[in-house]
Amino acid sequence: MSENIKKDLAQAKKNYQSKKYADAKEIYESLYIEHPEAFTIWDKRFYSWALYQLYVKNPENETDLFEAVDLITRLVDQEDLSKKDGVCAYTLSMMKLLDYLYKNNDYENIIVWAEKLNPDYLSQKTSTFTTDDGREVKLASNKEKYFNWLSKSYQEVEDYDECLVISKKALRQLTHFTNNSDIWFKWRVARSCRELGEYDEAIEYLKDIYKFKKDWFIQWEIAENYFFKGEEDKSLEYAVSAALSRGDSDKKIKLYSLLEDLLEDDEPEIALKHSYLIYSIRLHNEWSIDDDLKEQITNAGLDTENTEYWKIEKELKGYWKDLKFKNQQPHFGVISRIFPHGKSGFVKQDDGESYFFNGFEFKGDPNKYREGIKVSFYLEEGYDKKKDEIKLNAVNIYDI
């Protein structure tokens, strides 16, 4: 190696250390084109960090970002940071690029670039920061981010085989989950299983999710899987529970459509009412309405200008309730305790047994929601997270 090349490399390093990143990059770039063999591992690292500071840390130009990260991954190797703290230009640049792609919903490129990262080398160390209002927020580790970005990308491009593999791998390998990411990985497993026709496995994962996330759409997805299996009774059981659960009506159109399909042979009049509910919701929101649905409502002699879908929904709630609790007698007791936050408490049955309840299960006069009032209620399986066991909870509570 000539003395001039050594001097130029030394000057480039000095420029980098003085934060003259553009000057450092200019020298490194010209030398690397002509004399790549002259670069030591340290020269390559300083060149990589100069590129990171200029084009990756705060990217302004997508082309420069892509080209810089591509060159960095050819200059240096990914270091194994799974068991030690440290910084690695390769890893940091790749994570910045994947984050940029994720924020821009560029899922196909995430899949392409993610192949350049070895997830086994990524750190599982989480970090925290305190918000202005004093809340402590935990941030995901690099390994969790990687699996989240990749599993979501495979889901979005509808490669369900790979989505299933990556999501299950995340659940096996990650030791920490932030922002309920374990639930999202399980949900992607369930969605992939459904798309691949593995309905039993999908139901298993969804039921596990429902222990922690009591949302109507989880019950709806369980109902869908049972429907695809041909188990219509089980599908109807979960569909009516989803219909009775809290949630915006205009987001439940697919659920109401499933109920229509489930009921059209045995109870065509009730099925038609579900069609009318869908029609009125769409009309109320000024959404497009399928010609077949218009014709169905017209031929039934129903008011085609009715946008008051909540009145139809109210009528159907009585039916859903009767169907859900048809094999159970109501229980009676008093609200024995309401926690200070008002969101939950206990109902004490007349025989002395106590059951936990969520506040939203109180369906009676809100002005009467207090300790000591007599109530009727039904029982439904719930999950006690602290004790990790299934317990009966009070639901559908009314003052009497």
Side-chain angles (χ1 to χ4, degrees), residues 18-34:
S18 301
K19 298 186 178 181
K20 297 177 181 178
Y21 304 124
D23 293 341
K25 176 256 179 185
E26 186 176 348
I27 297 172
Y28 281 131
E29 185 174 56
S30 61
L31 287 175
Y32 194 71
I33 292 171
E34 298 294 331

Side-chain angles (χ1 to χ4, degrees), residues 286-348:
E286 299 182 352
W287 295 340
S288 62
I289 299 176
D290 181 82
D291 288 340
D292 289 341
L293 180 56
K294 286 181 183 177
E295 185 178 354
Q296 181 186 16
I297 300 306
T298 302
N299 291 343
L302 297 170
D303 180 5
T304 57
E305 302 298 321
N306 181 17
T307 60
E308 296 179 331
Y309 65 85
W310 52 90
K311 292 183 178 179
I312 306 169
E313 191 174 48
K314 186 176 181 180
E315 291 177 19
L316 284 169
K317 277 184 178 178
Y319 171 80
W320 297 332
K321 178 185 169 183
D322 290 343
L323 195 59
K324 179 175 180 177
F325 300 112
K326 67 179 180 180
N327 295 321
Q328 184 181 151
Q329 293 296 317
H331 300 258
F332 300 92
V334 297
I335 294 181
S336 58
R337 185 181 179 188
I338 297 176
F339 293 111
H341 52 58
K343 295 180 180 179
S344 57
F346 282 93
V347 170
K348 188 173 184 179

Side-chain angles (χ1 to χ4, degrees), residues 9-116:
L9 286 171
Q11 183 60 50
K13 177 181 176 181
K14 185 177 179 181
N15 287 341
Y16 175 82
Q17 292 174 328
S18 301
K19 298 186 178 181
K20 297 177 181 178
Y21 304 124
D23 293 341
K25 176 256 179 185
E26 186 176 348
I27 297 172
Y28 281 131
E29 185 174 56
S30 61
L31 287 175
Y32 194 71
I33 292 171
E34 298 294 331
H35 304 284
E37 74 286 348
F39 279 62
T40 67
I41 182 60
W42 290 104
D43 294 321
K44 291 178 180 178
R45 285 178 178 176
F46 281 117
Y47 186 11
S48 296
W49 282 117
L51 291 168
Y52 173 83
Q53 293 290 345
L54 289 169
Y55 305 117
V56 183
K57 186 176 181 180
N58 297 297
E60 296 179 358
N61 180 287
E62 186 175 281
T63 301
D64 288 343
L65 171 64
F66 278 44
E67 291 179 352
V69 176
D70 181 60
L71 180 52
I72 289 168
T73 59
R74 287 185 280 117
L75 285 168
V76 294
D77 295 327
Q78 180 184 358
E79 296 179 39
D80 187 351
L81 302 178
S82 61
K83 295 182 176 63
K84 65 178 182 179
D85 290 336
V87 289
C88 164
Y90 186 114
T91 301
L92 198 55
S93 298
M94 281 296 306
M95 294 300 292
K96 281 282 187 180
L97 175 58
L98 292 175
D99 184 45
Y100 172 86
L101 295 172
Y102 189 74
K103 287 175 179 175
N104 286 278
N105 303 322
D106 191 349
Y107 302 113
E108 291 184 356
N109 261 321
I110 288 174
I111 293 169
V112 171
W113 282 92
E115 291 184 2
K116 293 177 177 287

